[in-house]
Amino acid sequence: MSLSDTVTIGSRGSKLALWQAEWVKSALKKNNAGLSIDITTIKTTGDKILDVPLSQVGGKGLFVKEIEEALLDGRIDLAVHSMKDMPAVIPEGLKIGAVPVRENPLDVLISKKNRSLSQLRRGSRIGTSSLRRSAQLRHLRPDLEILPLRGNIDTRIRKLDTGDLDAVILAAAGVKRMGLEDRIVEFLNETHLLPAVGQGALCIEIREKDPRMEILAAGLNDSETQIAVDAERAFLIRMEGSCQIPIAAYAKINGKQIFLEGLISDLEGEKIIRDRISGPFTSSRQIGIALAEKLLNSGGREILGNIFSKIKKGE
């Protein structure tokens, strides 16, 4: 493509989303000196509905649908998303063009009086709207009270500081990218809170059969992160994952081996099925599917059935 052409990046308008879009813009310009790049902000349904838990209004696609529509109709050339916001199924005509190097994938605890998770008193009130987080927290600390909490990072921390919450759980990546690392009391090890699929990674989404964007996006791809995310997303797809189901997965690569851990839980966190699997990193997607099958056959299918039944009944 000609350097005189302008590339338009589509992004949500939150501080974190714009930080991510600016990071991609800088990386593209570093690799393609003289390239003109604009950022267009797009308000998604998820940005408009802030008083209802995501699990009740449609889940992950709420943060990407309008941006994907702009990509499909040519208003933007590429989209920047948080990978954990990406639904299991990507619309026809679009694809993941690149997965840049991953930030810390863990969750973090931010609390009043700098108390760690183990130091929080019985009955402490923790804010999170993630079913994945709440289910694992209820399993780990059934004595805590989990309250729904929506909004961007600043909003959630402000509600902690000014409200009657004792702590909030946030993604480490977002907190670090917003320069709020000094507020972190504790990084929650994956043995305590297994991360969301793709957490800490960015997704560069492009149109299929768009060689201009394929070339640009390829320069931002980190192969190790992509392999890990491919395994996690294969697990998600096979588990029929959405924000309505407490599902988690995290892959690590060591040498030529990939190690994938995943879990599924009921909504109350009373029954958690968790397992791990490993194999050659060249088979990352097959490993993701194999782990999903393992969990489904160990009781995960029953958990899914019960959750889908509750959703159908509107419970």
Side-chain angles (χ1 to χ4, degrees):
M1 65 181 290
S2 168
L3 292 181
S4 62
D5 290 341
T6 298
V7 173
T8 302
I9 296 173
S11 168
R12 294 169 60 201
S14 71
K15 285 184 180 179
L16 177 58
L18 288 174
W19 184 98
Q20 294 172 170
E22 289 288 353
W23 184 91
V24 170
K25 177 180 177 179
S26 297
L28 286 172
K29 290 182 74 70
K30 182 179 179 181
N31 293 344
N32 306 273
L35 187 65
S36 178
I37 304 176
D38 291 335
I39 296 175
T40 293
T41 59
I42 299 169
K43 198 161 190 175
T44 67
T45 303
D47 297 314
K48 299 171 187 175
I49 303 174
L50 296 174
D51 57 348
V52 181
L54 291 178
S55 58
Q56 296 179 18
V57 289
K60 293 188 176 192
L62 292 174
F63 289 116
V64 303
K65 182 181 177 183
E66 287 82 359
I67 300 174
E68 289 180 329
E69 289 172 350
L71 189 55
L72 282 167
D73 66 24
R75 281 177 286 148
I76 60 175
D77 297 302
L78 59 83
V80 180
H81 311 286
S82 293
M83 184 63 80
K84 69 184 180 70
D85 290 337
M86 293 296 289
V89 179
I90 295 174
E92 186 176 351
L94 300 180
K95 68 176 184 177
I96 296 174
V99 186
V101 64
R102 194 176 207 168
E103 179 52 272
N104 190 313
L106 299 180
D107 287 310
V108 295
L109 179 82
I110 298 177
S111 68
K112 289 176 178 173
K113 301 181 180 179
N114 290 327
R115 289 195 173 111
S116 67
L117 184 60
S118 63
Q119 292 170 337
L120 288 175
R121 296 174 178 173
R122 292 178 61 86
S124 291
R125 297 156 67 90
I126 297 187
T128 176
S129 284
S130 162
L131 293 182
R132 172 190 62 85
R133 289 174 180 144
S134 61
Q136 291 183 82
L137 281 172
R138 286 189 173 106
H139 188 79
L140 194 64
R141 289 286 308 269
D143 59 308
L144 299 177
E145 184 178 359
I146 313 298
L147 297 174
L149 180 65
R150 290 283 314 280
N152 59 38
I153 291 174
D154 289 335
T155 299
R156 298 187 199 195
I157 293 178
R158 185 168 62 250
K159 287 180 179 178
L160 168 66
D161 292 338
T162 61
D164 56 359
L165 291 172
D166 297 295
V168 296
I169 305 289
L170 300 170
V175 175
K176 291 180 71 174
R177 286 166 178 157
M178 288 292 91
L180 297 169
E181 197 167 1
D182 62 326
R183 294 298 307 266
I184 296 174
V185 174
E186 180 181 14
F187 285 84
L188 298 169
N189 192 285
E190 64 262 30
T191 58
H192 291 147
L193 234 66
L194 197 64
V197 167
Q199 186 159 301
L202 298 182
C203 171
I204 311 300
E205 191 175 23
I206 62 174
R207 288 181 291 273
E208 291 182 337
K209 300 177 183 178
D210 187 344
R212 298 190 315 153
M213 292 304 109
E214 284 182 4
I215 293 170
L216 285 179
L220 304 183
N221 195 60
D222 179 74
S223 58
E224 186 168 305
T225 301
Q226 182 185 24
I227 290 167
V229 168
D230 280 348
E232 295 168 15
R233 284 185 55 78
F235 171 84
L236 176 75
I237 292 167
R238 181 63 191 92
M239 295 293 289
E240 302 179 58
S242 72
C243 281
Q244 297 171 305
I245 303 166
I247 285 177
Y250 178 39
K252 296 180 181 179
I253 295 174
N254 188 351
K256 294 185 178 181
Q257 291 287 107
I258 185 168
F259 299 84
L260 177 65
E261 187 165 4
L263 70 76
I264 182 172
S265 169
D266 60 18
L267 298 176
E268 296 76 24
E270 293 176 356
K271 184 176 183 181
I272 288 183
I273 300 172
R274 182 171 182 155
D275 213 327
R276 64 183 66 193
I277 195 171
S278 64
F281 71 81
T282 51
S283 302
S284 58
R285 293 183 184 178
Q286 293 93 322
I287 287 168
I289 294 169
L291 179 59
E293 293 288 354
K294 198 173 184 182
L295 295 191
L296 288 170
N297 293 331
S298 299
R301 196 169 277 108
E302 181 182 353
I303 289 176
L304 280 178
N306 290 337
I307 292 175
F308 288 143
S309 176
K310 289 182 179 180
I311 293 171
K312 190 174 181 180
K313 293 176 182 177
E315 296 180 11

